[in-house]
Amino acid sequence: MTDASNLPGQRATSRMLRQRAQEFLASRKHANNLLDIMGYWDESTCSCLLTIEMIFMEVLRRGDMYMECSISLTISEPSPEIRYTTWLRECYEEVWKKIIASMEKNKSSIQLQALTTAMKLIAEEGKAAIEPRDNPGYHFPLHRWKLILMTLLSPEKDNTNLILRFQEITGYPDVLYYTWRCLPSLTPKRQPPEIYIKNLLELIDKISLPNEEEASKMLDNKELLCGPQEAAFTWDQSTVKRALNKVWACVMHWELTPQLHKQLLIVLLERVISHLEKPILLTDFLMDSLDVDGPVGVLALQGVFILVTKHNLEYPNIFTKLYSMFEPEIFHTKYKARLFYLADLFLSSTHLPEALVAAFAKRLARLTLVAPPEDILIILFFVGNLLLRHPGLKRLIDHPQGGEAPSNASTGAGDPFLMEERDPLLSNALLSSLWEIRALQWHILPSIASAAQFIREPLPSVEYDMASALERTSGHLFESELKNKVKDIMLTFERPNSMALPKGEKLLQYWQLTH
């Protein structure tokens, strides 16, 4: 927080800096004012950033730093005009060093202001030429853009907040295009520090990679950062896609901590995999990730599902791996909904062996003994879908060897089903019954007791939509139960406007304030 005692001094400094900036812009006889302003950088960084932004945006608009590149065969003293322009350009370069250094400060407000100032100067520099150009049309200051990206991808400082602000700027098509163009040259092939990897993954997650149609719409509907809308900027989709593939080829060879491993999988699934030229090369990485417990394994499962369904990957042991993921611990991760959804898709085929599907139905039913209420509902919908797809599994409802709960229902003792067996085909699920779901008919929550009734009634003719069921039940069960049993109670009839009780308050009859 800002020290309140320093506010008057900061305001006075800001007024003084603005006044000197106006004098500098009004007359060259006040040229040294620029050096004076830069001298306050460490003392009042935010005020200096705003003042420098105002000065150089005006200087760029007026073309005061423009210099012709002429070749002279004779050695002569440069004119005062050339000396002033050269000095101004040197100050501009020095200002850029200070802006980049300010982006590396620990104070968030200074970082964000430095990034904003840098963006405005780049936008103005793109429109106003500093020197003659081969192409007089569109221009993007790529050398300055690289400096900004290098700062965002710091190997020493977590720049999550700065990257979040940077995301707002990537709505400009030219910003997005040149960001992707620069990233391969900023991505090391050797193992970088953990903070660099985190910043890079955060940046890739926050910037989009549109296809050609989406890029065309962006160009039609959005202005460019550098240059007017009619500027000759072209989007080269092949260049952008090639850049992403180069970056990801480096990323896949780095060693990752568990947290970075999870972050990489999220970015891969949500941003990258659809743009890779050879997604099948991810196979080994995803297979190794499947062996990791918790959310990493679930996220890897989604990647494998994409490879199986869209890229014809053959993985015969996928069902064994999927089966092993249904442990009580999964209910305590935020990716459990993703696991249920993917499992429903994997088991959607009606040509799977009944013994395999029965093992999943039985394992899920057993998990209802320890699952939270909202997850019990999802499991009931899931098991109902499996019974609809495989009518032969209806015998699990009333199996002759175990229609009722076993002697020790809490542990499943007496049930032929082997919960600890890792191979679903060896779990004896077909010899068991779904007594766990029968027991849920007497659950304390009416919604669960009602959902479990399907076990003794004719099954519905249409499967449950798992996607909508996950969305409907997640986090809303408790609220719905409250609404069913508790009426809204009006706590205040009159809005209080002071510390005193409002007029007509019943409490006044039984309570008096004594002095």
Side-chain angles (χ1 to χ4, degrees), residues 98-345:
K98 289 180 176 293
I99 291 174
I100 296 299
S102 297
M103 289 175 60
E104 298 171 346
K105 296 277 187 180
N106 290 326
K107 196 171 181 180
S108 178
S109 59
I110 294 177
Q111 285 184 302
L112 297 176
Q113 182 56 55
L115 178 60
T116 302
T117 297
M119 290 298 108
K120 290 184 178 180
L121 291 179
I122 281 181
E124 203 59 46
E125 190 175 333
K127 299 170 187 174
I130 295 180
E131 55 194 22
R133 302 170 182 166
D134 297 333
N135 182 6
Y138 179 81
H139 173 68
F140 192 91
L142 201 57
H143 62 296
R144 304 206 189 281
W145 196 250
K146 275 193 174 183
L147 291 175
I148 293 174
L149 291 177
M150 287 171 65
T151 308
L152 292 177
L153 299 176
S154 169
E156 301 172 355
K157 189 173 185 303
D158 186 342
N159 282 327
T160 301
N161 290 337
L162 205 56
I163 292 171
L164 192 62
R165 173 64 62 87
F166 180 81
Q167 181 186 18
E168 300 172 9
I169 309 163
T170 57
Y172 292 104
D174 51 346
V175 168
L176 190 60
Y177 177 75
Y178 285 104
T179 298
W180 280 115
R181 267 193 56 177
C182 290
L183 277 183
S185 63
L186 302 177
T187 307
K189 293 183 179 179
R190 295 184 178 181
Q191 178 76 24
E194 290 180 17
I195 295 180
Y196 173 89
I197 300 175
K198 185 179 187 305
N199 286 331
L200 177 63
L201 293 175
E202 194 71 35
L203 181 62
I204 295 175
D205 184 48
K206 293 297 183 289
I207 60 177
S208 62
L209 201 162
N211 54 38
E212 291 186 13
E213 182 180 350
E214 292 168 342
S216 178
K217 288 181 180 178
M218 285 180 66
L219 292 174
D220 291 339
N221 301 331
K222 294 192 177 181
E223 296 182 359
L224 303 172
L225 179 71
C226 297
Q229 180 67 21
E230 62 272 11
F233 166 75
T234 55
W235 178 284
D236 187 350
Q237 183 70 17
S238 61
T239 298
V240 175
K241 195 171 182 179
R242 188 163 55 250
L244 171 64
N245 280 268
K246 286 181 180 178
V247 170
W248 207 254
C250 296
V251 173
M252 295 306 296
H253 290 93
W254 296 341
E255 294 182 5
L256 303 168
T257 63
Q259 186 62 31
L260 288 175
H261 196 167
K262 183 175 75 171
Q263 186 180 3
L264 183 143
L265 282 168
I266 293 172
V267 175
L268 171 65
L269 295 172
E270 297 181 357
R271 294 290 186 187
V272 174
I273 194 168
S274 60
H275 300 287
L276 293 179
E277 293 175 353
K278 297 179 179 179
I280 204 70
L281 296 179
L282 297 170
T283 303
D284 291 341
F285 171 74
L286 292 174
M287 295 306 179
D288 292 340
S289 301
L290 273 177
D291 295 329
V292 181
D293 295 331
V296 169
V298 177
L299 292 167
L301 179 68
Q302 183 175 348
V304 171
F305 178 77
I306 293 172
L307 296 184
V308 168
T309 56
K310 295 186 178 180
H311 303 283
N312 300 319
L313 173 69
E314 294 186 5
Y315 184 42
N317 296 326
I318 187 64
F319 290 104
T320 302
K321 188 62 192 175
L322 177 62
Y323 184 77
S324 67
M325 287 184 175
F326 284 101
E327 296 285 351
E329 292 77 14
I330 195 63
F331 299 121
H332 305 293
T333 68
K334 65 179 181 179
Y335 298 102
K336 59 185 176 183
R338 194 179 302 228
L339 175 61
F340 282 122
Y341 180 71
L342 289 171
D344 187 55
L345 292 177

Side-chain angles (χ1 to χ4, degrees), residues 15-29:
R15 284 196 299 270
M16 180 269 293
L17 292 176
R18 284 198 302 270
Q19 183 180 353
R20 293 192 180 185
Q22 290 166 359
E23 292 172 353
F24 170 82
L25 293 171
S27 173
R28 289 189 181 182
K29 70 180 181 180

Side-chain angles (χ1 to χ4, degrees), residues 10 13 17 35-49 52 94-95 97-103 105 107 110:
Q10 291 176 0
T13 303
L17 292 176
L35 298 178
D36 293 340
I37 292 169
M38 292 168 62
Y40 280 88
W41 203 284
D42 294 331
E43 179 183 336
S44 185
T45 307
C46 278
S47 298
C48 279
L49 283 166
I52 288 295
E94 186 64 27
V95 160
K97 291 178 183 178
K98 289 180 176 293
I99 291 174
I100 296 299
S102 297
M103 289 175 60
K105 296 277 187 180
K107 196 171 181 180
I110 294 177

